[in-house]
Amino acid sequence: MTSPARRRSAGDRRAQLVAIGLELLPTTPVQELTIDEVARRAGISRSLLFHYFASKRDYYTAVTRAAADVLREHLAPRPGLPAGEQAAGMLERYVGWVETYRDAHLSFVRGAAAGDPWVAEVYEETREQLVDMALAALELPDDARRRQLLRAWFAFTEDLVSSWVREPTMERGELVDLLRGLLDRLLES
Amino acid sequence: MTSPARRRSAGDRRAQLVAIGLELLPTTPVQELTIDEVARRAGISRSLLFHYFASKRDYYTAVTRAAADVLREHLAPRPGLPAGEQAAGMLERYVGWVETYRDAHLSFVRGAAAGDPWVAEVYEETREQLVDMALAALELPDDARRRQLLRAWFAFTEDLVSSWVREPTMERGELVDLLRGLLDRLLES
DNA sequence: TAGCTTGTTGACCGTTGCTCAGCAAGCCGA
DNA sequence: TCGGCTTGCTGAGCAACGGTCAACAAGCTA
C-alpha cells in the first residue's frame, strides 16, 4: 500500500527521527509519543524505527538527551566574558529560555523527569552538568553541600520562573535580582 | 478457572482497589501500574475494576488523590498550638515525612507530577492547598506574589530535603533552620 | 418462590511495543 | 552488463494492555 521510503544513510535517518521527536516534544508529553506516530511522520514503517533504536525507551532517551543538549548549549558560558559575569549571564539566559520556550521547557522538565526512570536519569545527568557549569562560573569549590543547595536553588528557579512567566508579579529585573541574591546567600556559607 | 470473587459492597470494593494502588505506589511509578496487576492482587477480574473506575486514568487520579490526602492530613496544623508555632510544626513534620517515606514520597512527587496531565493536576491542586495552609499558619495575607514565592520555596524544600535524606550534608536542625530562614526572608518583602 | 437489583465475569476488540524473515536499492568487481 | 554483496526497509504476526459488552448469579424483598 504505502510506497517504500526514500533510502537514507543510517546517520541521516537517525537524526531525522530524533528531530521529529524534538519537534513533537513541546506539544506532547514524552510518554504519549507513540512509535506509530513518529514513524508515520517520518514516512517509514515502525519496523525501521526499531532498527535504529532498540526500544521505545531507547528512542525516548535519545530525544530527551538531544533536548538537554540544546538547553545546555544555550546556557553554556560565553567565552570572552569576565568570569564574574558568567553566572549572571547564565541566569539571564535561563530566564530568557523559559520565557521563550515555556511549554517546551515544561514538557521537558516535567514530562522527562517523571514517567520513565531512564529518561529521568538523563534529566538528572543534565542537572548535574548545569551545577558543574554554575560552580565553575561562580569560581566556587565543589563540595557535596554546595551541590545540594545549588540543585535545590535550580528547583526554586525553575518553579519560580515558570510561574512568573505565566503571571508576572514583579519586574523582570527584580526577579533576576531575587534569584541572584538568593543564590549568593545560599552559597556564601 | 478462577473462582469468583467474594461479593462486596461498592464502597468496600472501591476502597480496596484504591488501597492496593496506595500499597503499590512506593515501589511502582504510577504509570507502570497495570490494571491487570491491580485486579490480580484484588482477586477480581479486570472488568470489575472498570466497573468502578471509568478508565485507567480515572483510577490513577483516585489513587493519587488518596495519597495526597494522607500527606495533607499529616501536615495539617495541629489545633491547640499557638499560631506562631504552626508553621514550624508543619515544616518539622514535612521533613519527618520525607525521612520516613522517602521512596514513596518521591514516587508521588516525581511519578505523579509528570506522566499524565490529569494526575499532575491533582498534584498541583494539593500544592495549592499546602500553600493555603502555610499562609494561614504564617498569618500572612494571600496575594499572587507571595503565593508564587511560597510555591517556589516548596519546590526548593522538596528538592533539598529529598537529597539531604539521601546524603546528609548538615545537621537536621541546621536544615530546618535554613529552610525556615529562607522562607522568612522570601515572604518578608 | 418469583423477581429485582447489582456485584461480577469471560469473551472479544483495537492499539501499541516489538520480532523476524525476507525484499530491494545501490554499489562494486569482473 | 551481469552477478553478488551490503544494508536500508517492509509486512505479517505476536503478546500485552486498555476498554466494551452481554450475560450470569448472589442476595434482598415481596
Side-chain angles (χ1 to χ4, degrees):
Chain A
M1 169 108 194
T2 47
S3 57
R6 222 177 77 236
R7 216 179 152 93
R8 292 201 191 195
S9 79
D12 272 11
R13 190 58 86 189
R14 235 188 114 92
Q16 179 205 16
L17 292 173
V18 170
I20 288 175
L22 279 182
E23 218 170 278
L24 258 35
L25 251 198
T27 62
T28 323
V30 174
Q31 41 228 264
E32 284 180 23
L33 213 149
T34 73
I35 295 293
D36 264 319
E37 173 69 8
V38 176
R40 208 181 49 74
R41 293 210 177 208
I44 60 169
S45 64
R46 260 169 318 174
S47 316
L48 189 55
L49 198 147
F50 283 109
H51 179 70
Y52 291 107
F53 302 93
S55 65
K56 191 190 176 189
R57 223 204 285 259
D58 198 43
Y59 175 64
Y60 285 175
T61 57
V63 172
T64 305
R65 182 156 277 129
D69 286 347
V70 178
L71 171 63
R72 224 178 33 240
E73 198 172 321
H74 184 259
L75 294 187
R78 302 293 193 250
L81 263 84
E85 292 175 23
Q86 289 293 11
M90 282 178 63
L91 180 49
E92 186 66 36
R93 285 195 293 281
Y94 179 74
V95 174
W97 170 273
V98 179
E99 280 180 312
T100 312
Y101 304 110
R102 202 181 80 81
D103 292 340
H105 182 68
L106 273 188
S107 254
F108 171 61
V109 169
R110 289 238 119 90
D116 197 281
W118 293 33
V119 177
E121 202 173 301
V122 175
Y123 176 69
E124 295 297 338
E125 195 183 302
T126 304
R127 206 154 159 172
E128 290 305 313
Q129 291 169 346
L130 291 183
V131 168
D132 287 339
M133 281 168 45
L135 281 175
L138 291 165
E139 299 183 311
L140 283 172
D142 179 346
D143 60 278
R145 180 185 161 138
R146 236 185 285 265
R147 291 189 79 87
Q148 262 184 2
L149 291 172
L150 200 45
R151 274 199 304 264
W153 176 86
F154 269 120
F156 182 93
T157 301
E158 220 162 53
D159 193 283
L160 184 57
V161 175
S162 300
S163 88
W164 173 81
V165 167
R166 201 162 40 220
E167 185 188 14
T169 59
M170 57 186 102
E171 296 292 317
R172 192 184 195 280
E174 199 182 348
L175 174 72
V176 174
D177 286 349
L178 186 149
L179 289 170
R180 186 63 209 258
L182 193 64
L183 182 60
D184 287 341
R185 178 161 184 262
L186 282 172
L187 294 185
E188 78 192 359
S189 55
Chain B
M1 169 107 195
T2 47
S3 56
R6 222 176 75 236
R7 212 180 154 94
R8 293 201 191 195
S9 79
D12 272 11
R13 189 59 87 189
R14 235 189 114 92
Q16 180 205 17
L17 292 173
V18 170
I20 289 176
L22 279 181
E23 218 170 277
L24 257 35
L25 252 197
T27 62
T28 324
V30 174
Q31 40 228 266
E32 284 180 23
L33 212 147
T34 73
I35 295 293
D36 265 320
E37 174 68 9
V38 175
R40 208 180 50 72
R41 294 211 178 208
I44 61 169
S45 64
R46 258 172 324 185
S47 317
L48 189 55
L49 199 147
F50 283 109
H51 179 69
Y52 290 108
F53 302 92
S55 64
K56 191 190 176 190
R57 224 206 283 262
D58 198 44
Y59 175 65
Y60 286 177
T61 57
V63 172
T64 305
R65 182 157 276 130
D69 286 347
V70 178
L71 171 62
R72 224 178 33 238
E73 198 172 322
H74 184 259
L75 294 187
R78 302 295 192 249
L81 264 86
E85 291 175 23
Q86 290 293 10
M90 283 178 61
L91 181 50
E92 186 66 37
R93 285 195 293 281
Y94 179 75
V95 174
W97 170 273
V98 179
E99 280 179 314
T100 312
Y101 304 109
R102 200 179 80 82
D103 291 340
H105 182 69
L106 273 188
S107 255
F108 172 61
V109 169
R110 288 239 119 89
D116 197 281
W118 293 32
V119 177
E121 202 174 301
V122 174
Y123 177 70
E124 295 296 338
E125 195 183 302
T126 305
R127 207 156 158 172
E128 290 305 314
Q129 291 168 347
L130 291 183
V131 168
D132 288 338
M133 282 169 43
L135 281 176
L138 291 165
E139 300 183 310
L140 283 171
D142 178 346
D143 60 277
R145 180 184 160 136
R146 237 185 285 264
R147 291 189 78 87
Q148 262 184 4
L149 290 172
L150 199 46
R151 274 198 305 262
W153 176 85
F154 269 121
F156 181 93
T157 302
E158 219 161 54
D159 193 284
L160 184 57
V161 175
S162 300
S163 87
W164 172 80
V165 167
R166 201 162 39 219
E167 184 188 14
T169 58
M170 57 186 103
E171 297 292 316
R172 192 183 194 280
E174 199 182 347
L175 174 72
V176 174
D177 286 348
L178 186 149
L179 289 170
R180 185 65 209 258
L182 194 62
L183 182 60
D184 287 342
R185 177 161 183 262
L186 282 172
L187 295 185
E188 79 193 358
S189 53

